[in-house]
Amino acid sequence: MALLDGKVALVTGAAVGLGNAFAKALAAEGARLSVCDVREEIDALGVDIDSEVLRIRADVSIAADVQRVVADTEKTYGRIDVLVNNAGVWAGSRPTDDLDKTLADYDYLIGTNLKGSFLFGRAVIPIMLAQGDGDIVNICTDHVQTCGSPWQLDHDDAPNCPWAGQPPRPTGGGPGMDLYDASKWGQLGLTFAWAQALERHGIRVNAMCMGATDSYMLRSFHNFEPAPEEEARWMKAADIARLMIDLIRDGRTGDYIGAAVGHPIVLPPRRANPYVLPRKPR
Ligand SMILES: NC(=O)c1ccc[n+]([C@@H]2O[C@H](COP(=O)([O-])OP(=O)(O)OC[C@H]3O[C@@H](n4cnc5c(N)ncnc54)[C@H](O)[C@@H]3O)[C@@H](O)[C@H]2O)c1
């Protein structure tokens, strides 16, 4: 029996890139899929996979779209077992940008990456609460690790973080992407708060914090003509998707899983997360 036989997985931003690989990996584990995206390629997802697929054009930053996706998914399948908050965008932004640019960037980056995850969480959590079971995976970035988060600084032996033990940086992405990184730190904040609040209801919440992975987004940074040696270094979306399946199979909650170029893409051992404190008995 496959890991997700009889289960339903909802993946946002699944038309291309990592989300597409996540959807296919979940289907390969037996999950029926609900996928959404703003791109028309979403209409073709699943023609080559042996699983039920509900395809929806929707914008994760719009509350009404999110409600529609979740309502259609529940109406079609009657449950949602896995939510992957993957839809994301990138743009450069600096603290010195003029107000018009910075407000547009804020809506674009925070609206998609953070508000999208927030809206889907709020819409799906009640369904998972009623089931008493569920997995939420928020797709972050290695920037929240390469800044030298306290856990990494204290654990020089972190197997898959090349930055472990190095001095912290102001944001992992650097000063030219303050809003992207803020959106991803925000996603991490949701991850830890949800993990703590929902553990006793059987809902596990984790984040994935990968580095450069071959995708539409990454190729766009290289004008879709990356140098062969650069392209060869990138991690493959299918390998990150395998890591996500391993994470769901493991059953942990409240963790943030790194994957770095040039390092093994493996699930690290379970660890105590200093951000998710054990509840004190009253
Ligand atoms: N590729 C990398 O190297 C990398 C590294 C770290 C983190 N990430 C994160 O992984 C996730 C996926 O990135 P990717 O590299 O596959 O990007 P991508 O651009 O290749 O794919 C992103 C998908 O999200 C969709 N999307 C964007 N905005 C949307 C919206 N408002 N509503 C619905 N769908 C929307 C896009 O249409 C696209 O299909 C993102 O959250 C990104 O920040 C990627």
Side-chain angles (χ1 to χ4, degrees):
M1 186 171 161
L3 176 67
L4 299 172
D5 273 347
K7 306 233 167 161
V8 174
L10 196 170
V11 184
T12 69
V16 298
L18 278 156
N20 194 273
F22 292 144
K24 288 177 176 167
L26 290 159
E29 286 295 334
R32 292 167 287 165
L33 295 179
S34 171
V35 290
C36 68
D37 208 290
V38 286
R39 297 175 69 119
E40 64 183 14
E41 291 96 320
I42 197 68
D43 300 342
L45 192 151
V47 291
D48 53 346
I49 59 176
D50 185 20
S51 185
E52 273 182 76
V53 187
L54 177 66
R55 309 167 189 85
I56 306 171
R57 298 246 195 127
D59 184 333
V60 300
S61 68
I62 299 174
D65 277 22
V66 174
Q67 295 293 339
R68 174 169 56 84
V69 171
V70 172
D72 286 359
T73 306
E74 201 184 14
K75 194 170 156 204
T76 303
Y77 297 124
R79 58 187 301 113
I80 300 176
D81 301 284
V82 179
L83 167 65
V84 183
N85 276 319
N86 165 79
V89 289
W90 183 91
S93 68
R94 290 180 175 277
T96 48
D97 286 340
D98 70 54
L99 188 61
D100 285 347
K101 173 178 172 356
T102 214
L103 289 177
D105 286 343
Y106 184 93
D107 287 343
Y108 182 57
L109 291 160
I110 305 287
T112 308
N113 302 353
L114 179 56
K115 187 180 169 197
S117 300
F118 155 74
L119 289 172
F120 265 98
R122 286 290 191 271
V124 167
I125 286 167
I127 295 168
M128 292 183 169
L129 283 175
Q131 293 169 182
D133 189 53
D135 275 280
I136 299 176
V137 183
N138 292 324
I139 305 304
C140 288
T141 170
D142 67 339
H143 300 183
V144 300
Q145 295 202 315
T146 55
C147 64
S149 61
W151 191 91
Q152 297 291 359
L153 291 175
D154 288 347
H155 293 74
D156 287 358
D157 57 345
N160 54 0
C161 181
W163 295 93
Q166 295 203 17
R169 301 191 293 166
T171 73
M177 49 181 99
D178 65 345
L179 288 174
Y180 179 81
D181 278 8
S183 75
K184 296 294 179 180
W185 277 108
Q187 273 186 307
L188 204 59
L190 292 179
T191 302
F192 296 155
W194 293 353
Q196 186 153 15
L198 301 174
E199 183 174 15
R200 66 191 155 126
H201 300 286
I203 302 170
R204 298 157 297 279
V205 189
N206 295 284
M208 292 188 60
C209 307
M210 74 289 297
T213 308
D214 197 349
S215 72
Y216 178 90
M217 183 193 282
L218 192 59
R219 284 177 179 268
S220 73
F221 300 158
H222 298 262
N223 294 321
F224 299 98
E225 289 182 357
E229 61 276 14
E230 181 76 14
E231 186 180 346
R233 289 179 62 240
W234 294 341
M235 294 183 289
K236 303 285 172 277
D239 292 332
I240 301 296
R242 183 180 42 75
L243 183 63
M244 189 192 64
I245 297 295
D246 288 347
L247 172 63
I248 293 172
R249 180 179 287 111
D250 178 81
R252 73 183 65 182
T253 190
D255 208 345
Y256 55 127
I257 307 301
V261 164
H263 288 252
I265 301 173
V266 292
L267 191 68
R270 290 188 185 200
R271 61 196 183 184
N273 182 338
Y275 302 108
V276 182
L277 301 173
R279 246 190 317 276
K280 292 196 181 84
R282 288 179 187 271

